[in-house]
Amino acid sequence: MKLTAFVPFLLCTLLSAGPLSNKELNWYFVQHGQSISAPKEASQFIDKYNVYYVGDQSKKQIFLTFDEGYENGYTAKILDVLKENKVPAAFFVVKPYIKQNPDLIKRMEAEGHLVCNHSSTHPSMASVTDPTKFNKEFDDVNEEYKKLVGKDIPKFFRPPMGKFSESSLQKTQEKGYKTVFWSFAYRDWLVDNQPTHIFAKNKILGKAHSGEIMLLHAVSKTNTEILDDIIKELKNQGYEFKSLNDLP
């Protein structure tokens, strides 16, 4: 192709590509037996942006994660159970949680858990299109964590409410973070409408799968009370609990 023809061709190609979409999407996963896949709306681009929602599906490993929007009095007990069972976990925290619970953050870090970024103000990251505001959602959390423990926060990010866009995933990657969704979650965050122990155990154990990234909410009284039983039963089934640092 002659250069005079190539230049408008290249320009046309770039224009047709356009900016990445800011369309807000909601995370969910598709499970076919033991196989987990991403939502169809994101399947064409999600693998480009350091996104994790499941680990190695050929290994009986579980990655235990907790979201911490606020403290409901249960995290210390959760940490006790994790310590007793020698299980690592990741706690995704917002900036106010760090400020209001410094002793818990220090304990998480001291006991080998990952304290990870869940944004400063818990917005839909797809809605934060201003670059300065987007960066601030990450940086404010990191600064608060670094002020407390003396080092940068681990570079794992969970989008609040599971809301994202292709653009937000790219910008998250550009900041050096891995996006961590999940391959299991259930309705455990309603503090005034907690599931029964039997329901929760059946749900969690019945959906266990290789490479699982398990999302639990630490505000849940039920989760706290059944956690020891859940961990022991999953270990009995041959599952090993791993750190997000061990993701492939």
Side-chain angles (χ1 to χ4, degrees):
M1 181 183 294
K2 293 183 179 179
L3 181 60
T4 53
F6 177 74
V7 171
F9 169 79
L10 177 61
L11 180 60
C12 181
T13 301
L14 291 173
L15 289 174
S16 64
L20 295 181
S21 173
N22 286 314
K23 180 180 179 182
E24 183 181 88
L25 300 174
N26 291 293
W27 175 255
Y28 65 91
F29 56 89
V30 181
Q31 186 167 5
H32 304 283
Q34 289 289 302
S35 178
I36 305 293
S37 58
K40 62 180 181 180
E41 298 90 338
S43 60
Q44 297 301 312
F45 62 78
I46 202 162
D47 290 337
K48 300 177 184 178
Y49 301 116
N50 282 342
V51 175
Y52 289 88
Y53 53 91
V54 70
D56 188 336
Q57 297 187 70
S58 69
K59 297 180 179 179
K60 293 196 74 172
Q61 298 175 342
I62 292 176
F63 302 85
L64 180 58
T65 71
F66 294 88
D67 280 4
E68 294 270 26
Y70 63 95
E71 180 54 41
N72 199 31
Y74 300 125
T75 301
K77 176 59 177 176
I78 289 170
L79 289 169
D80 290 343
V81 172
L82 297 176
K83 185 176 183 179
E84 179 184 341
N85 288 280
K86 297 181 174 59
V87 166
F91 293 86
F92 287 87
V93 302
V94 294
K95 178 182 176 180
Y97 190 92
I98 300 175
K99 291 176 67 70
Q100 295 162 12
N101 302 280
D103 291 341
L104 287 173
I105 295 295
K106 288 178 179 178
R107 183 180 172 189
M108 291 171 188
E109 199 277 332
E111 294 182 359
H113 304 296
L114 295 176
V115 180
C116 303
N117 203 320
H118 196 36
S119 82
S120 179
T121 65
H122 207 262
S124 161
M125 297 308 292
S127 71
V128 186
T129 56
D130 177 82
T132 300
K133 292 180 179 179
F134 189 92
N135 289 333
K136 187 174 175 61
E137 287 294 333
F138 289 79
D139 297 342
D140 282 1
V141 179
N142 184 56
E143 289 171 10
E144 199 66 36
Y145 178 82
K146 190 172 184 178
K147 183 167 64 176
L148 183 64
V149 302
K151 59 184 179 182
D152 288 330
I153 200 165
K155 297 295 187 181
F156 298 101
F157 180 73
R158 174 160 285 155
M161 303 166 288
K163 294 182 180 297
F164 68 101
S165 67
E166 182 174 7
S167 177
S168 74
L169 294 181
Q170 184 196 50
K171 288 183 287 188
T172 299
Q173 182 183 48
E174 289 172 351
K175 289 195 67 63
Y177 283 82
K178 297 177 176 68
T179 296
V180 181
F181 288 115
W182 56 88
S183 60
F184 172 83
Y186 81 115
R187 199 175 178 87
D188 62 348
W189 63 89
L190 300 174
V191 296
D192 295 325
N193 186 23
Q194 282 289 285
T196 66
H197 286 196
I198 292 175
F199 175 88
K201 285 182 179 180
N202 288 341
K203 191 78 170 177
I204 296 170
L205 295 173
K207 293 292 186 178
H209 55 275
S210 296
E212 177 179 357
I213 297 179
M214 182 189 296
L215 164 58
L216 300 177
H217 287 84
V219 297
S220 168
K221 182 174 185 289
T222 295
N223 286 346
T224 306
E225 292 173 345
I226 67 172
L227 184 60
D228 185 68
D229 290 344
I230 290 294
I231 289 172
K232 286 180 167 59
E233 177 57 31
L234 288 171
K235 283 186 173 183
N236 286 339
Q237 293 180 17
Y239 287 98
E240 180 182 10
F241 288 87
K242 305 290 286 185
S243 166
L244 292 183
N245 284 326
D246 298 315
L247 282 167

